[in-house]
Amino acid sequence: MKNRIHLSLAHMGGHEQKFIKEAFDTNWVVPLGPNVDGFEKSLNQYLATQNSQLSTLNSQPHTVALSSGTAAIHLALVLLGVKTGDEVICQSFTFAATANPITYVGANPVFVDSEDETWNMSPQRLKEAIEDRLQQTGKLPKAIIPVHLYGMPAKMEEILAIAHQYKIPVIEDAAEALGSEYKTQKCGTFGTFGILSFNGNKIITTSGGGALLCKTQEQAARALFYATQARDCAPHYQHSHIGYNYRMSNICAGIGCGQMLTLEEHIARRREIHHLYMELLKDVPGITVKQNPDEKSNSNFWLTCILVEPEKAGKTREDIRMMLESENIESRPLWKPMHLQPVFADAPFYGNGVSDHLFEKGLCLPSGSSLSNEDITRVVEIIKR
């Protein structure tokens, strides 16, 4: 059996051990310390926005390093005051971690379909959902959560215009999109809050972890308060609010500090892998490789994805996935939309079948930055076969 080709493994750049060793040597192993501060500072500098009419952030975001991207979404909802009985509009075509935190605060998700160009939240369906929820409930949704799926930037210009029209804050899920750009601005820096993930399969990792990107220092301080058990300022342990244990540890942040030193290399390699897939699969009948739809978008191509048209390819997406698995190669269907998930069966949905089609036909191919060109060629040869 040939060596296993994984979908997207963590890739260490060689600098991580230095920061981890310093944490152990100085006994900073708890959820605070110089690595946490340094990691947040590096992210702030990397994500600093250019002059942009779309940005609602200052020139540099205020980052709070957390235990996961899911925790970041939860805290964003808490900071926005979303409560039991409220509604939050969420992209349906995404991983469950985008939608689950809505239920943590007792709110109800309202799912919106994707559009064909980016596979992300459809501005047309978004506006339809807002107007219909207002008619049905007499209230506006409390937040909008678009996602930059697989690193592909959503249509933020249109989404932000609609959000501004109805004065609804945007929580921008950029968990898969660190380094992706929309109109030369980094994804995660457009919304009232931005979300990043550093899970083991992302562009960079802290083994697990995430970050909340805030508009102001005051928001960041409030997020930190809730992320560290909401302890009041007192000599004893006193609590006037419900808090959470969401802070990133200094050890994990040390991994992140090391990863930031090679972030651009990881992104460049993902884009190289995507380009190689494009070249090798361009003449294969029934196979379409997802690419940037226009000059506004510059995806990090966290995962390279294809659509399989069975009538042209002679095989289904599942046929190809199973054939790759038989050759010890991991691939994965695109996310099953949230409106098709049993747990959200009763949630409102506004769409016309785009994400259903993508789920049926789509496949994620191995894309980790540690893969060789020979690995990619091996994957393509099996797909062609």
Side-chain angles (χ1 to χ4, degrees):
M1 178 68 72
K2 293 184 178 180
N3 291 337
R4 178 74 165 170
I5 295 180
H6 294 276
L7 188 72
S8 180
L9 287 182
H11 185 202
M12 297 294 102
H15 304 282
E16 296 81 7
Q17 286 287 349
K18 170 182 176 292
F19 294 96
I20 296 171
K21 183 177 185 301
E22 287 177 357
F24 276 101
D25 288 346
T26 57
N27 207 33
W28 282 106
V29 297
V30 291
L32 75 163
N35 284 341
V36 177
D37 297 338
F39 185 46
E40 291 174 341
K41 182 178 180 181
S42 294
L43 286 167
N44 287 340
Q45 293 172 343
Y46 178 76
L47 295 167
T49 59
Q50 305 298 318
N51 292 329
S52 172
Q53 295 179 346
L54 297 182
S55 177
T56 60
L57 289 171
N58 297 327
S59 61
Q60 186 167 286
H62 302 271
T63 302
V64 181
L66 301 168
S67 57
S68 69
T70 310
I73 295 177
H74 184 197
L75 286 186
L77 292 166
V78 170
L79 291 171
L80 289 174
V82 181
K83 296 182 173 60
T84 299
D86 290 335
E87 290 188 336
V88 174
I89 292 181
C90 182
Q91 184 167 312
S92 181
F93 194 37
T94 185
F95 179 50
T98 304
N100 284 341
I102 298 171
T103 69
Y104 299 172
V105 295
N108 301 310
V110 174
F111 294 114
V112 169
D113 209 350
S114 297
E115 38 78 19
D116 288 307
E117 289 187 320
T118 71
W119 297 0
N120 295 316
M121 182 178 283
S122 163
Q124 178 183 352
R125 302 301 168 191
L126 170 61
K127 188 164 187 176
E128 174 188 330
I130 293 171
E131 293 180 347
D132 189 64
R133 297 322 296 168
L134 183 58
Q135 184 176 12
Q136 296 259 0
T137 69
K139 299 187 298 182
L140 289 169
K142 292 293 187 179
I144 300 168
I145 311 180
V147 184
H148 303 299
L149 205 66
Y150 303 116
M152 183 61 67
K155 293 187 174 182
M156 292 307 298
E157 188 168 16
E158 296 172 54
I159 291 170
L160 289 172
I162 294 169
H164 178 74
Q165 178 184 348
Y166 293 97
K167 296 180 172 58
I168 304 174
V170 171
I171 300 172
E172 184 188 354
D173 186 344
E176 302 170 2
L178 180 60
S180 296
E181 297 174 326
Y182 180 78
K183 299 186 78 171
T184 73
Q185 183 175 325
K186 293 289 193 299
C187 289
T189 65
F190 292 95
T192 306
F193 294 102
I195 305 300
L196 298 175
S197 171
F198 310 113
N199 195 21
N201 61 0
K202 296 301 191 295
I203 289 285
I204 63 169
T205 187
T206 56
S207 76
L212 179 65
L213 310 179
C214 300
K215 180 178 180 181
T216 67
Q217 184 59 51
E218 290 74 21
Q219 288 174 334
R222 198 66 180 162
L224 181 58
F225 169 74
Y226 281 112
T228 52
Q229 300 291 16
R231 181 184 175 185
D232 293 338
C233 184
H236 51 274
Y237 285 92
Q238 177 168 303
H239 306 270
S240 303
H241 299 80
I242 297 296
Y244 311 93
N245 186 18
Y246 280 168
R247 195 67 162 131
M248 180 181 287
S249 79
N250 200 51
I251 296 294
C252 291
I255 300 173
C257 288
Q259 290 268 286
M260 286 298 293
L261 297 176
T262 55
L263 170 58
E264 294 287 10
E265 295 174 22
H266 289 315
I267 294 171
R269 180 55 185 158
R270 299 270 179 161
R271 288 172 173 161
E272 287 175 359
I273 288 170
H274 175 265
H275 180 74
L276 185 56
Y277 275 125
M278 288 279 296
E279 288 298 307
L280 295 176
L281 290 170
K282 64 183 178 181
D283 297 322
V284 180
I287 303 292
T288 303
V289 180
K290 182 60 179 171
Q291 57 185 307
N292 289 319
D294 52 42
E295 68 281 356
K296 295 178 184 178
S297 303
N298 187 20
S299 175
N300 63 13
F301 292 110
W302 170 57
L303 294 181
T304 292
C305 304
I306 61 173
L307 290 181
V308 182
E309 298 296 339
E311 61 275 11
K312 296 179 181 178
K315 297 289 182 182
T316 65
R317 172 263 284 166
E318 195 61 10
D319 291 332
I320 293 176
R321 188 187 71 82
M322 294 302 294
M323 175 60 75
L324 289 169
E325 186 60 41
S326 72
E327 296 286 342
N328 210 23
I329 296 172
E330 182 185 12
S331 62
R332 180 195 294 160
L334 300 187
W335 299 122
K336 184 175 182 177
M338 292 299 100
H339 71 274
L340 298 180
Q341 299 287 353
V343 70
F344 293 121
D346 296 330
F349 170 66
Y350 296 84
N352 61 348
V354 172
S355 56
D356 300 59
H357 170 81
L358 294 172
F359 170 60
E360 179 186 357
K361 303 292 181 64
L363 189 68
C364 304
L365 300 180
S367 306
S369 53
S370 60
L371 294 177
S372 67
N373 287 359
E374 289 73 21
D375 292 329
I376 306 305
T377 301
R378 179 179 151 199
V379 173
V380 170
E381 286 176 348
I382 293 168
I383 293 175
K384 287 182 175 180
R385 189 196 315 166

